[in-house]
């Protein structure tokens, strides 16, 4: 299907996803949205961005314990 920056729009649409996660630098977001897909653009360049994105994903996926999700990520940063 390609990468987060340049996915195959046709392949993504064929999967009929509930939501498409892409890099905010992707050129495919507008086209996917125009085809009726929900697109969430994510930008991760720092540790703070990781926590923000995990919070976004927690909300998107209705993760009941968003704090636990970001806590797991924080624990991984200590290694």
């Amino acid at each position: 299907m390609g990468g987060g920056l340049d996915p195959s729009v046709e392949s993504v649409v064929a999967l009929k996803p509930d939501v498409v996660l892409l890099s905010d630098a992707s050129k495919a977001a507008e086209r996917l949205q125009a085809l009726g897909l929900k697109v969430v653009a994510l930008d991760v360049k720092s540790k703070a961005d990781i926590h923000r994105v995990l919070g976004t994903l927690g909300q998107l996926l209705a993760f009941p314990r968003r704090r636990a999700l970001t806590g797991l990520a924080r624990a991984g940063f200590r290694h």
Side-chain angles (χ1 to χ4, degrees):
M1 284 195 311
L5 290 175
D6 188 26
S8 165
V9 171
E10 295 77 17
S11 295
V12 173
V13 170
L15 293 172
K16 300 179 184 175
D18 294 328
V19 65
V20 179
L21 305 176
L22 294 172
S23 165
D24 69 338
S26 176
K27 297 174 183 173
E30 287 182 29
R31 187 161 172 219
L32 290 166
Q33 288 172 328
L35 292 168
L37 295 177
K38 180 178 179 178
V39 175
V40 176
L42 305 170
D43 182 33
V44 180
K45 293 185 176 116
S46 69
K47 288 182 183 179
D49 290 340
I50 292 170
H51 294 291
R52 181 185 47 76
V53 166
L54 286 174
T56 299
L57 292 175
Q59 288 176 332
L60 188 69
L61 301 172
F63 194 74
R65 294 178 51 150
R66 239 176 45 218
R67 286 185 180 189
L69 184 63
T70 56
L72 289 172
R74 283 190 185 108
F77 294 147
R78 292 190 187 115
H79 299 288

